[in-house]
Amino acid sequence: MQTVEIYDTTLRDGTQQEGISLTATDKLAVARLLDDLGVTYIEGGWPGANPKDDEFFARAKNELTLKDATLVAFGSTRRANRRPEDDEQLAALVAAETDVVCLVGKAWSYHVEHALRTTPDEAVAMVAESVSYLRSLGRRVFFDAEHFFDGYRSDPDFALAVLRGAVDAGAERLVLCDTNGGFLSHEVERVVGEVTDALPEATFGCHFHNDTGVAVANSLLSVRMGVTQVQGCVNGYGERTGNADLCSIIPNLTLKMGIETIPPDRLSRLTTVSHHLAEIVNLTLDPHLPYVGTSAFTHKAGLHTSALARRSDAYEHLPPDAVGNSTRVVVSELAGRSTVLAKARASGLEMTDGEAQLVVDRIKELEHEGYQFEAADGSFELLVLEAKGWTQPFFDLESYRVFVEHRGGEVVAEATVKVHVGGERVVTTAEGDGPVGALDRALRAALEPTFPQIGDIRLTDYRVRDLDSTDGTAARVRVLCTHSNVDDAWGTIGVHQNIIDASWKAVSEGLILGLLRADAR
Ligand SMILES: [Zn+2]
């Protein structure tokens, strides 16, 4: 079976993305995640380039035990007209003490002339001597040929001379980089074909940026042309439009092209690793990312979902659990009865066709008012239960009241809730920083003596959106809440002209769902 090495550069090239800044501790956590996923190489950073990367490599020596992956230090070749043993950059790479070093050097004569301001011969010598030097110290060396594709287009003899210098000096991999990301797949196919023919003794890698939107395609095509190492980043992180996305490359190579990449039993961790990494870098994951996005296997149209329930392979290009993702069915007015039935079944609720029709009719009314059930699976569940004749047994609301007071420069909110719980009238008052927090506390206080399990339910997200605000004061607001307990989370929704009442509906439904979940356990 053909094998391709997965070389992850999230910790180096990925952190070039705007908005990503990782501490050394974050980087250690990411390296462990990548090792769990089973990538072959983890490029940890650029020793000597910044104190954070120096700290990362220093701590990695003691704190990072990788099971499968090999840590790589990245850095540039020696400077012009200097001996390798006198070069600080190479000294920093040596000090990182990794088994593998990835050296980057210029493969475009234009850059040699204008950036290095040296001769082509010296540029080749910088690469060859740096590789030899690191080899003499027992390091394995990969060579990243920077701007290779541009360089090969404008001056193929020089670009090939650089590669030859590297491989003759002992570089194990020659990595062809499209640093500016401008090359299309048909050009990549031609160049990689010519280069692998010209240097049959070498082993090749590829490194693509996504400036033309085809970094993944270019990587796959390079593999077809004989490249055996693919460099990229989780979630396609990287400068500008990002690097080639490993979350697409890995399943494409493995599941579509039959090529071994990460250990087969790890592929189902891909979605978790992608989402976990998004949390560490503190960026909202694009839900539409192939394979790992939350919408990657989401179905909305009614026709699809009725067929999906019968034959999932009719509308999904592969079983989502292969990459650790899952099918989601969203409810909307586009959806018919079958969507509602499929969605209810996904929540473990069975319904008759008649009950499903009641829910569909109700959803259509509510969506007209501004409700939206795509992110409110909890409120949807209550609609289903109500269609089946259920009424919530936990409390009956008599009234609530909220005061907000500006007092001596401080704003305080106080809420009073009057409810009937188990046949008894309960009146509770609570304070909070804001009116919704005060209401939530007052309701909890009323319910807690009868339902102590309410203490395990947390409000984890609260979002307000203004609807049709052109109506001025008549505008309605939509409140979306997420509540969670130890092993589950659910969304609820409220819509009203008054933000407090919209919040009351979403918050109280969240608590009702939580009590139902606790009962079920
Ligand atoms: Zn790059």
Side-chain angles (χ1 to χ4, degrees):
M1 196 185 196
Q2 195 185 342
T3 302
V4 163
E5 301 166 348
I6 299 298
Y7 182 110
D8 181 282
T9 178
T10 308
L11 291 176
R12 204 262 314 165
D13 236 5
T15 59
Q16 297 299 310
Q17 176 160 325
E18 278 174 80
I20 294 184
S21 171
L22 296 177
T23 63
T25 303
D26 291 335
K27 293 183 86 163
L28 289 164
V30 170
R32 290 186 193 102
L33 265 182
L34 294 168
D35 186 42
D36 284 342
L37 181 62
V39 304
T40 325
Y41 297 103
I42 299 170
E43 190 173 81
W46 187 326
N50 63 67
K52 262 197 286 195
D53 282 9
D54 289 338
E55 184 192 347
F56 168 78
F57 281 103
R59 287 175 59 186
K61 289 174 200 170
N62 303 315
E63 297 176 38
L64 191 62
T65 312
L66 299 176
K67 297 182 293 289
D68 296 298
T70 301
L71 188 63
V72 181
F74 176 92
S76 65
T77 56
R78 70 160 173 82
R79 296 219 208 143
N81 309 312
R82 184 176 295 202
R83 299 190 322 152
E85 42 275 66
D86 299 334
D87 191 271
E88 316 84 21
Q89 169 57 56
L90 290 177
L93 279 170
V94 172
E97 292 180 26
T98 56
D99 293 337
V100 181
V101 170
C102 186
L103 276 179
V104 62
K106 301 221 178 284
W108 189 1
S109 49
Y110 183 64
H111 271 255
V112 170
E113 195 182 328
H114 295 284
L116 293 180
R117 292 161 188 264
T118 190
T119 62
D121 286 348
E122 171 62 3
V124 173
M126 286 162 66
V127 172
E129 288 176 21
S130 301
V131 173
S132 292
Y133 174 66
L134 290 169
R135 293 289 297 133
S136 75
L137 297 174
R139 300 298 197 277
R140 296 173 56 197
V141 180
F142 298 166
F143 177 66
D144 263 13
E146 192 185 14
H147 295 291
F148 181 79
F149 289 87
D150 290 292
Y152 186 82
R153 178 154 62 190
S154 71
D155 188 348
D157 291 342
F158 174 72
L160 286 174
V162 171
L163 293 186
R164 241 180 232 117
V167 75
D168 290 348
E172 275 182 48
R173 305 282 181 275
L174 301 180
V175 183
L176 309 178
C177 304
D178 182 13
T179 310
N180 290 355
F183 275 72
L184 297 180
S185 300
H186 63 283
E187 302 169 291
V188 166
E189 184 175 33
R190 181 182 60 80
V191 171
V192 175
E194 288 174 12
V195 172
T196 49
D197 282 350
L199 291 161
E201 72 278 24
T203 304
F204 288 93
C206 64
H207 177 115
F208 289 101
H209 285 258
N210 200 35
D211 298 75
T212 57
V214 292
V216 170
N218 286 350
S219 306
L220 303 181
L221 205 50
S222 297
V223 169
R224 282 173 58 90
M225 299 308 292
V227 162
T228 55
Q229 177 183 100
V230 175
Q231 302 194 347
C233 297
V234 171
N235 299 333
Y237 293 138
E239 206 168 1
R240 306 186 308 274
T241 55
N243 282 60
D245 184 358
L246 288 181
C247 292
S248 291
I249 288 171
I250 292 171
N252 281 334
L253 288 174
T254 312
L255 299 171
K256 306 281 180 176
M257 292 167 70
I259 293 167
E260 199 166 304
T261 54
I262 59 175
D265 60 314
R266 312 286 179 83
L267 198 55
S268 60
R269 298 181 189 176
L270 191 68
T271 300
T272 308
V273 167
S274 150
H275 291 229
H276 194 157
L277 223 138
E279 268 172 44
I280 295 174
V281 303
N282 200 20
L283 290 176
T284 306
L285 189 74
D286 176 1
H288 306 293
L289 276 188
Y291 292 102
V292 295
T294 49
S295 298
F297 300 95
T298 294
H299 304 271
K300 188 162 174 176
L303 190 71
H304 268 209
T305 44
S306 60
L308 186 74
R310 291 194 303 276
R311 298 284 318 191
S312 62
D313 61 351
Y315 290 96
E316 287 179 339
H317 70 102
L318 53 74
D321 54 3
V323 290
N325 210 337
S326 53
T327 299
R328 267 176 68 228
V329 177
V330 297
V331 179
S332 86
E333 58 191 324
L334 286 177
R337 234 172 20 212
S338 56
T339 309
V340 167
L341 283 165
K343 169 99 179 159
R345 207 168 292 131
S347 316
L349 297 163
E350 289 298 331
M351 266 192 296
T352 64
D353 275 359
E355 288 162 354
Q357 192 56 50
L358 281 178
V359 175
V360 170
D361 294 344
R362 186 79 184 115
I363 285 173
K364 284 186 178 168
E365 277 169 37
L366 290 169
E367 286 193 337
H368 185 67
E369 289 173 32
Y371 280 79
Q372 209 182 48
F373 290 89
E374 277 146 33
D377 51 343
S379 293
F380 169 81
E381 200 175 317
L382 293 180
L383 280 184
V384 171
L385 290 170
E386 283 159 13
K388 295 168 75 67
W390 175 87
T391 49
Q392 67 92 357
F394 305 108
F395 65 92
D396 287 316
L397 176 69
E398 182 184 309
S399 65
Y400 70 74
R401 188 168 59 186
V402 188
F403 291 107
V404 177
E405 190 181 3
H406 187 109
R407 186 199 301 151
E410 259 185 87
V411 180
V412 284
E414 184 185 298
T416 300
V417 165
K418 297 179 185 174
V419 289
H420 296 260
V421 184
E424 296 218 8
R425 184 166 183 267
V426 186
V427 179
T428 47
T429 295
E431 288 183 333
D433 294 333
V436 178
L439 256 184
D440 178 54
R441 278 189 205 174
L443 179 60
R444 284 167 183 268
L447 299 178
E448 189 143 30
T450 316
F451 306 106
Q453 62 272 37
I454 206 160
D456 297 332
I457 308 168
R458 286 177 301 125
L459 175 63
T460 45
D461 193 31
Y462 172 86
R463 258 178 287 174
V464 181
R465 172 131 182 233
D466 212 358
L467 302 175
D468 48 38
S469 51
T470 46
D471 292 359
T473 52
R476 283 164 300 166
V477 290
R478 176 195 290 153
V479 171
L480 279 168
C481 287
T482 305
H483 284 78
S484 61
N485 59 22
V486 281
D487 52 14
D488 201 3
W490 53 92
T492 53
I493 183 169
V495 175
H496 200 272
Q497 286 178 10
N498 186 299
I499 187 172
I500 302 295
D501 204 61
S503 303
W504 165 263
K505 185 162 186 301
V507 166
S508 60
E509 284 195 354
L511 293 177
I512 289 166
L513 258 305
L515 292 173
L516 270 175
R517 294 280 199 281
D519 277 2
R521 280 189 301 162

